[in-house]
Amino acid sequence: MKLLRTIQLDISDTFVFERAAEPGEWAVSGAFMFARQDIAKLQGKARTAFRAGFLGANSFCRSSLAQVVEATAQERRELVDLLAAQLVARCGAPDVATATRAAEEEVAFVESLCDHPDGLLIAVSRSRDDGAIREAFRTLRPRDGADSHRPFQFVEVTGDDEAPEEHLDLTALREGERR
């Protein structure tokens, strides 16, 4: 089976999110974190987390990319248990049994995204449409002949045909932090 782990290709996650997930954490979509929020009122880093952040299961921090990796049944079970504990501790789930059912659904969803070769990177783009959170996932493949995932080496994007064009000025975000 395959699951997702957070990955950092550069330091950008450390200044586009309130807190960046550590590289190598098990990752889930994490859209549930925004279910009861007024998305229109989100600004800055919170808005970026909504629009483009996977959730690291250990830290409950964000990562802009996740990587498809092999996982054992034991690792999957540990992820479900960890996520269930986090749902009780951080999200107010009424009990472990309820949280475990929700965690199982979230992990099953992640598994459905991982029908790709090991090492493939996945990015998420979220929006709110008619009161529902919509997620679109795209895959990033290294350029032919590239020996690793290095920033700015990606040339092929699949599954992003209908996504709106977005522009993010990382320099302006960083300068905004200093003010």
Side-chain angles (χ1 to χ4, degrees):
M1 85 184 58
K2 295 181 182 179
L3 296 172
L4 296 175
R5 285 202 185 266
T6 59
I7 187 170
Q8 285 185 3
L9 299 180
D10 60 24
I11 64 167
S12 61
D13 281 358
T14 63
F15 58 88
V16 298
F17 298 124
E18 189 65 40
R19 291 185 45 224
E22 290 296 320
E25 290 186 49
W26 291 115
V28 295
S29 159
F32 62 85
M33 296 291 290
F34 301 99
R36 295 189 178 154
Q37 292 190 24
D38 184 348
I39 303 304
K41 291 183 179 178
L42 293 178
Q43 295 182 7
K45 293 177 180 187
R47 183 169 175 81
T48 302
F50 168 73
R51 293 176 70 184
F54 285 97
L55 186 67
N58 289 0
S59 65
F60 256 45
C61 296
R62 296 289 168 170
S63 177
S64 58
L65 296 172
Q67 186 173 35
V68 175
V69 297
E70 287 288 330
T72 65
Q74 178 63 28
E75 288 171 321
R76 185 191 187 282
R77 169 70 5 228
E78 289 170 2
L79 172 57
V80 169
D81 292 345
L82 171 62
L83 189 55
Q86 294 279 42
L87 292 173
V88 170
R90 295 178 184 250
C91 299
D95 55 60
V96 173
T98 302
T100 299
R101 285 191 299 276
E104 281 284 354
E105 287 181 26
E106 190 74 10
V107 172
F109 179 66
V110 165
E111 284 179 296
S112 76
L113 298 174
C114 294
D115 188 22
H116 298 286
D118 288 357
L120 187 83
L121 300 182
I122 297 181
V124 61
S125 177
R126 268 186 216 95
S127 61
R128 185 153 216 152
D129 184 28
D130 291 328
I133 294 175
R134 306 274 184 225
E135 292 182 300
F137 298 87
R138 64 183 188 269
T139 59
L140 304 170
R141 303 176 193 278
R143 180 174 37 201
D144 289 340
D147 58 356
S148 66
H149 292 298
R150 290 187 6 216
F152 312 113
Q153 275 200 320
F154 299 98
V155 293
E156 180 182 351
V157 176
T158 59
D160 198 24
D161 298 336
E162 297 180 25
E165 187 174 324
E166 294 185 25
H167 299 281
L168 178 63
D169 184 347
L170 297 176
T171 304
L173 282 173
R174 188 172 206 181
E175 290 172 357
E177 271 190 7
R178 289 184 264 197
R179 291 182 189 160

PDB file of all heavy atoms in Angstrom, residues 35-60:
ATOM      1  N   ALA A  35     -13.600  22.946   7.807  1.00  0.00           N
ATOM      2  CA  ALA A  35     -15.025  22.672   7.597  1.00  0.00           C
ATOM      3  C   ALA A  35     -15.937  23.698   8.265  1.00  0.00           C
ATOM      4  O   ALA A  35     -16.986  24.030   7.719  1.00  0.00           O
ATOM      5  CB  ALA A  35     -15.368  21.266   8.082  1.00  0.00           C
ATOM      6  N   ARG A  36     -15.545  24.199   9.404  1.00  0.00           N
ATOM      7  CA  ARG A  36     -16.411  25.130  10.139  1.00  0.00           C
ATOM      8  C   ARG A  36     -15.915  26.569  10.103  1.00  0.00           C
ATOM      9  O   ARG A  36     -16.393  27.412  10.856  1.00  0.00           O
ATOM     10  CB  ARG A  36     -16.558  24.666  11.574  1.00  0.00           C
ATOM     11  CG  ARG A  36     -17.282  23.342  11.655  1.00  0.00           C
ATOM     12  CD  ARG A  36     -17.627  22.974  13.046  1.00  0.00           C
ATOM     13  NE  ARG A  36     -18.363  21.722  13.017  1.00  0.00           N
ATOM     14  CZ  ARG A  36     -18.401  20.872  13.999  1.00  0.00           C
ATOM     15  NH1 ARG A  36     -17.770  21.139  15.119  1.00  0.00           N
ATOM     16  NH2 ARG A  36     -19.082  19.757  13.895  1.00  0.00           N
ATOM     17  N   GLN A  37     -14.954  26.843   9.241  1.00  0.00           N
ATOM     18  CA  GLN A  37     -14.413  28.200   9.153  1.00  0.00           C
ATOM     19  C   GLN A  37     -15.063  28.970   8.015  1.00  0.00           C
ATOM     20  O   GLN A  37     -15.472  28.384   7.016  1.00  0.00           O
ATOM     21  CB  GLN A  37     -12.900  28.150   8.944  1.00  0.00           C
ATOM     22  CG  GLN A  37     -12.170  27.617  10.153  1.00  0.00           C
ATOM     23  CD  GLN A  37     -10.672  27.812  10.015  1.00  0.00           C
ATOM     24  OE1 GLN A  37     -10.192  28.681   9.305  1.00  0.00           O
ATOM     25  NE2 GLN A  37      -9.915  26.988  10.717  1.00  0.00           N
ATOM     26  N   ASP A  38     -15.127  30.273   8.173  1.00  0.00           N
ATOM     27  CA  ASP A  38     -15.594  31.144   7.093  1.00  0.00           C
ATOM     28  C   ASP A  38     -14.394  31.395   6.181  1.00  0.00           C
ATOM     29  O   ASP A  38     -13.541  32.240   6.475  1.00  0.00           O
ATOM     30  CB  ASP A  38     -16.136  32.448   7.671  1.00  0.00           C
ATOM     31  CG  ASP A  38     -16.730  33.348   6.601  1.00  0.00           C
ATOM     32  OD1 ASP A  38     -16.538  33.080   5.389  1.00  0.00           O
ATOM     33  OD2 ASP A  38     -17.389  34.334   6.978  1.00  0.00           O
ATOM     34  N   ILE A  39     -14.326  30.649   5.091  1.00  0.00           N
ATOM     35  CA  ILE A  39     -13.180  30.692   4.187  1.00  0.00           C
ATOM     36  C   ILE A  39     -12.979  32.092   3.624  1.00  0.00           C
ATOM     37  O   ILE A  39     -11.843  32.535   3.441  1.00  0.00           O
ATOM     38  CB  ILE A  39     -13.339  29.661   3.047  1.00  0.00           C
ATOM     39  CG1 ILE A  39     -13.530  28.253   3.616  1.00  0.00           C
ATOM     40  CG2 ILE A  39     -12.186  29.724   2.069  1.00  0.00           C
ATOM     41  CD1 ILE A  39     -12.434  27.783   4.546  1.00  0.00           C
ATOM     42  N   ALA A  40     -14.056  32.811   3.372  1.00  0.00           N
ATOM     43  CA  ALA A  40     -13.945  34.159   2.807  1.00  0.00           C
ATOM     44  C   ALA A  40     -13.193  35.106   3.739  1.00  0.00           C
ATOM     45  O   ALA A  40     -12.610  36.093   3.285  1.00  0.00           O
ATOM     46  CB  ALA A  40     -15.334  34.715   2.501  1.00  0.00           C
ATOM     47  N   LYS A  41     -13.176  34.820   5.028  1.00  0.00           N
ATOM     48  CA  LYS A  41     -12.504  35.689   5.993  1.00  0.00           C
ATOM     49  C   LYS A  41     -11.054  35.292   6.248  1.00  0.00           C
ATOM     50  O   LYS A  41     -10.344  36.012   6.944  1.00  0.00           O
ATOM     51  CB  LYS A  41     -13.271  35.701   7.310  1.00  0.00           C
ATOM     52  CG  LYS A  41     -14.617  36.400   7.190  1.00  0.00           C
ATOM     53  CD  LYS A  41     -15.313  36.465   8.521  1.00  0.00           C
ATOM     54  CE  LYS A  41     -16.654  37.187   8.364  1.00  0.00           C
ATOM     55  NZ  LYS A  41     -17.381  37.216   9.631  1.00  0.00           N
ATOM     56  N   LEU A  42     -10.622  34.168   5.711  1.00  0.00           N
ATOM     57  CA  LEU A  42      -9.227  33.759   5.904  1.00  0.00           C
ATOM     58  C   LEU A  42      -8.306  34.699   5.151  1.00  0.00           C
ATOM     59  O   LEU A  42      -8.592  35.086   4.020  1.00  0.00           O
ATOM     60  CB  LEU A  42      -9.002  32.328   5.409  1.00  0.00           C
ATOM     61  CG  LEU A  42      -9.688  31.216   6.180  1.00  0.00           C
ATOM     62  CD1 LEU A  42      -9.404  29.871   5.519  1.00  0.00           C
ATOM     63  CD2 LEU A  42      -9.242  31.202   7.629  1.00  0.00           C
ATOM     64  N   GLN A  43      -7.205  35.042   5.779  1.00  0.00           N
ATOM     65  CA  GLN A  43      -6.219  35.919   5.147  1.00  0.00           C
ATOM     66  C   GLN A  43      -4.822  35.380   5.388  1.00  0.00           C
ATOM     67  O   GLN A  43      -4.590  34.590   6.298  1.00  0.00           O
ATOM     68  CB  GLN A  43      -6.330  37.331   5.720  1.00  0.00           C
ATOM     69  CG  GLN A  43      -7.630  38.007   5.395  1.00  0.00           C
ATOM     70  CD  GLN A  43      -7.666  39.420   5.954  1.00  0.00           C
ATOM     71  OE1 GLN A  43      -6.687  39.932   6.475  1.00  0.00           O
ATOM     72  NE2 GLN A  43      -8.811  40.064   5.835  1.00  0.00           N
ATOM     73  N   GLY A  44      -3.896  35.845   4.585  1.00  0.00           N
ATOM     74  CA  GLY A  44      -2.480  35.559   4.777  1.00  0.00           C
ATOM     75  C   GLY A  44      -2.169  34.074   4.830  1.00  0.00           C
ATOM     76  O   GLY A  44      -2.584  33.301   3.980  1.00  0.00           O
ATOM     77  N   LYS A  45      -1.449  33.682   5.864  1.00  0.00           N
ATOM     78  CA  LYS A  45      -0.966  32.307   5.986  1.00  0.00           C
ATOM     79  C   LYS A  45      -2.101  31.310   6.187  1.00  0.00           C
ATOM     80  O   LYS A  45      -2.024  30.183   5.718  1.00  0.00           O
ATOM     81  CB  LYS A  45       0.059  32.214   7.110  1.00  0.00           C
ATOM     82  CG  LYS A  45       1.324  32.977   6.780  1.00  0.00           C
ATOM     83  CD  LYS A  45       2.314  32.947   7.909  1.00  0.00           C
ATOM     84  CE  LYS A  45       3.552  33.739   7.513  1.00  0.00           C
ATOM     85  NZ  LYS A  45       4.612  33.618   8.492  1.00  0.00           N
ATOM     86  N   ALA A  46      -3.148  31.723   6.870  1.00  0.00           N
ATOM     87  CA  ALA A  46      -4.301  30.839   7.061  1.00  0.00           C
ATOM     88  C   ALA A  46      -4.971  30.556   5.715  1.00  0.00           C
ATOM     89  O   ALA A  46      -5.382  29.427   5.440  1.00  0.00           O
ATOM     90  CB  ALA A  46      -5.293  31.450   8.036  1.00  0.00           C
ATOM     91  N   ARG A  47      -5.063  31.572   4.884  1.00  0.00           N
ATOM     92  CA  ARG A  47      -5.645  31.384   3.552  1.00  0.00           C
ATOM     93  C   ARG A  47      -4.754  30.479   2.697  1.00  0.00           C
ATOM     94  O   ARG A  47      -5.239  29.611   1.975  1.00  0.00           O
ATOM     95  CB  ARG A  47      -5.849  32.732   2.866  1.00  0.00           C
ATOM     96  CG  ARG A  47      -6.512  32.616   1.506  1.00  0.00           C
ATOM     97  CD  ARG A  47      -6.928  33.998   1.010  1.00  0.00           C
ATOM     98  NE  ARG A  47      -7.451  33.955  -0.320  1.00  0.00           N
ATOM     99  CZ  ARG A  47      -8.694  33.608  -0.633  1.00  0.00           C
ATOM    100  NH1 ARG A  47      -9.531  33.256   0.315  1.00  0.00           N
ATOM    101  NH2 ARG A  47      -9.107  33.600  -1.890  1.00  0.00           N
ATOM    102  N   THR A  48      -3.452  30.640   2.799  1.00  0.00           N
ATOM    103  CA  THR A  48      -2.526  29.784   2.056  1.00  0.00           C
ATOM    104  C   THR A  48      -2.650  28.344   2.525  1.00  0.00           C
ATOM    105  O   THR A  48      -2.647  27.414   1.701  1.00  0.00           O
ATOM    106  CB  THR A  48      -1.072  30.277   2.220  1.00  0.00           C
ATOM    107  OG1 THR A  48      -0.999  31.629   1.752  1.00  0.00           O
ATOM    108  CG2 THR A  48      -0.103  29.420   1.439  1.00  0.00           C
ATOM    109  N   ALA A  49      -2.780  28.122   3.822  1.00  0.00           N
ATOM    110  CA  ALA A  49      -2.951  26.768   4.347  1.00  0.00           C
ATOM    111  C   ALA A  49      -4.221  26.136   3.783  1.00  0.00           C
ATOM    112  O   ALA A  49      -4.227  24.962   3.408  1.00  0.00           O
ATOM    113  CB  ALA A  49      -2.996  26.790   5.871  1.00  0.00           C
ATOM    114  N   PHE A  50      -5.296  26.916   3.723  1.00  0.00           N
ATOM    115  CA  PHE A  50      -6.538  26.397   3.132  1.00  0.00           C
ATOM    116  C   PHE A  50      -6.343  26.071   1.660  1.00  0.00           C
ATOM    117  O   PHE A  50      -6.701  24.995   1.199  1.00  0.00           O
ATOM    118  CB  PHE A  50      -7.694  27.402   3.284  1.00  0.00           C
ATOM    119  CG  PHE A  50      -8.891  27.031   2.451  1.00  0.00           C
ATOM    120  CD1 PHE A  50      -9.692  25.970   2.828  1.00  0.00           C
ATOM    121  CD2 PHE A  50      -9.181  27.718   1.282  1.00  0.00           C
ATOM    122  CE1 PHE A  50     -10.780  25.593   2.050  1.00  0.00           C
ATOM    123  CE2 PHE A  50     -10.267  27.360   0.500  1.00  0.00           C
ATOM    124  CZ  PHE A  50     -11.072  26.291   0.885  1.00  0.00           C
ATOM    125  N   ARG A  51      -5.776  26.980   0.927  1.00  0.00           N
ATOM    126  CA  ARG A  51      -5.685  26.830  -0.524  1.00  0.00           C
ATOM    127  C   ARG A  51      -4.693  25.779  -0.984  1.00  0.00           C
ATOM    128  O   ARG A  51      -4.886  25.184  -2.039  1.00  0.00           O
ATOM    129  CB  ARG A  51      -5.328  28.179  -1.149  1.00  0.00           C
ATOM    130  CG  ARG A  51      -6.468  29.179  -0.988  1.00  0.00           C
ATOM    131  CD  ARG A  51      -6.106  30.518  -1.511  1.00  0.00           C
ATOM    132  NE  ARG A  51      -6.016  30.469  -2.960  1.00  0.00           N
ATOM    133  CZ  ARG A  51      -5.630  31.487  -3.697  1.00  0.00           C
ATOM    134  NH1 ARG A  51      -5.273  32.599  -3.127  1.00  0.00           N
ATOM    135  NH2 ARG A  51      -5.582  31.373  -4.999  1.00  0.00           N
ATOM    136  N   ALA A  52      -3.627  25.518  -0.209  1.00  0.00           N
ATOM    137  CA  ALA A  52      -2.574  24.672  -0.776  1.00  0.00           C
ATOM    138  C   ALA A  52      -1.768  23.887   0.253  1.00  0.00           C
ATOM    139  O   ALA A  52      -0.603  23.626   0.012  1.00  0.00           O
ATOM    140  CB  ALA A  52      -1.635  25.545  -1.607  1.00  0.00           C
ATOM    141  N   GLY A  53      -2.368  23.486   1.361  1.00  0.00           N
ATOM    142  CA  GLY A  53      -1.564  22.810   2.373  1.00  0.00           C
ATOM    143  C   GLY A  53      -2.049  21.429   2.756  1.00  0.00           C
ATOM    144  O   GLY A  53      -3.214  21.247   3.095  1.00  0.00           O
ATOM    145  N   PHE A  54      -1.159  20.447   2.676  1.00  0.00           N
ATOM    146  CA  PHE A  54      -1.401  19.142   3.279  1.00  0.00           C
ATOM    147  C   PHE A  54      -1.180  19.287   4.774  1.00  0.00           C
ATOM    148  O   PHE A  54      -0.444  20.170   5.225  1.00  0.00           O
ATOM    149  CB  PHE A  54      -0.423  18.089   2.735  1.00  0.00           C
ATOM    150  CG  PHE A  54      -0.746  17.634   1.339  1.00  0.00           C
ATOM    151  CD1 PHE A  54      -0.099  18.190   0.250  1.00  0.00           C
ATOM    152  CD2 PHE A  54      -1.691  16.644   1.129  1.00  0.00           C
ATOM    153  CE1 PHE A  54      -0.387  17.773  -1.038  1.00  0.00           C
ATOM    154  CE2 PHE A  54      -1.985  16.213  -0.159  1.00  0.00           C
ATOM    155  CZ  PHE A  54      -1.335  16.779  -1.249  1.00  0.00           C
ATOM    156  N   LEU A  55      -1.754  18.391   5.550  1.00  0.00           N
ATOM    157  CA  LEU A  55      -1.618  18.429   6.999  1.00  0.00           C
ATOM    158  C   LEU A  55      -0.676  17.315   7.456  1.00  0.00           C
ATOM    159  O   LEU A  55      -0.906  16.139   7.144  1.00  0.00           O
ATOM    160  CB  LEU A  55      -2.989  18.241   7.654  1.00  0.00           C
ATOM    161  CG  LEU A  55      -3.065  18.385   9.161  1.00  0.00           C
ATOM    162  CD1 LEU A  55      -2.782  19.827   9.585  1.00  0.00           C
ATOM    163  CD2 LEU A  55      -4.436  17.953   9.660  1.00  0.00           C
ATOM    164  N   GLY A  56       0.389  17.687   8.163  1.00  0.00           N
ATOM    165  CA  GLY A  56       1.285  16.702   8.761  1.00  0.00           C
ATOM    166  C   GLY A  56       0.597  16.096   9.972  1.00  0.00           C
ATOM    167  O   GLY A  56       0.138  16.820  10.859  1.00  0.00           O
ATOM    168  N   ALA A  57       0.496  14.770  10.022  1.00  0.00           N
ATOM    169  CA  ALA A  57      -0.274  14.105  11.083  1.00  0.00           C
ATOM    170  C   ALA A  57       0.359  14.262  12.457  1.00  0.00           C
ATOM    171  O   ALA A  57      -0.359  14.317  13.452  1.00  0.00           O
ATOM    172  CB  ALA A  57      -0.445  12.626  10.746  1.00  0.00           C
ATOM    173  N   ASN A  58       1.671  14.343  12.549  1.00  0.00           N
ATOM    174  CA  ASN A  58       2.330  14.484  13.858  1.00  0.00           C
ATOM    175  C   ASN A  58       2.156  15.893  14.410  1.00  0.00           C
ATOM    176  O   ASN A  58       1.754  16.074  15.557  1.00  0.00           O
ATOM    177  CB  ASN A  58       3.824  14.192  13.758  1.00  0.00           C
ATOM    178  CG  ASN A  58       4.111  12.740  13.521  1.00  0.00           C
ATOM    179  OD1 ASN A  58       3.219  11.921  13.422  1.00  0.00           O
ATOM    180  ND2 ASN A  58       5.376  12.409  13.407  1.00  0.00           N
ATOM    181  N   SER A  59       2.504  16.875  13.629  1.00  0.00           N
ATOM    182  CA  SER A  59       2.564  18.258  14.104  1.00  0.00           C
ATOM    183  C   SER A  59       1.287  19.052  13.890  1.00  0.00           C
ATOM    184  O   SER A  59       1.087  20.083  14.513  1.00  0.00           O
ATOM    185  CB  SER A  59       3.701  18.991  13.387  1.00  0.00           C
ATOM    186  OG  SER A  59       3.409  19.085  11.991  1.00  0.00           O
ATOM    187  N   PHE A  60       0.424  18.590  12.999  1.00  0.00           N
ATOM    188  CA  PHE A  60      -0.760  19.330  12.559  1.00  0.00           C
ATOM    189  C   PHE A  60      -0.345  20.659  11.921  1.00  0.00           C
ATOM    190  O   PHE A  60      -1.051  21.648  12.001  1.00  0.00           O
ATOM    191  CB  PHE A  60      -1.760  19.536  13.695  1.00  0.00           C
ATOM    192  CG  PHE A  60      -2.958  18.612  13.589  1.00  0.00           C
ATOM    193  CD1 PHE A  60      -2.807  17.270  13.294  1.00  0.00           C
ATOM    194  CD2 PHE A  60      -4.236  19.088  13.777  1.00  0.00           C
ATOM    195  CE1 PHE A  60      -3.892  16.423  13.188  1.00  0.00           C
ATOM    196  CE2 PHE A  60      -5.341  18.257  13.677  1.00  0.00           C
ATOM    197  CZ  PHE A  60      -5.166  16.920  13.387  1.00  0.00           C
TER     198      PHE A  60
END
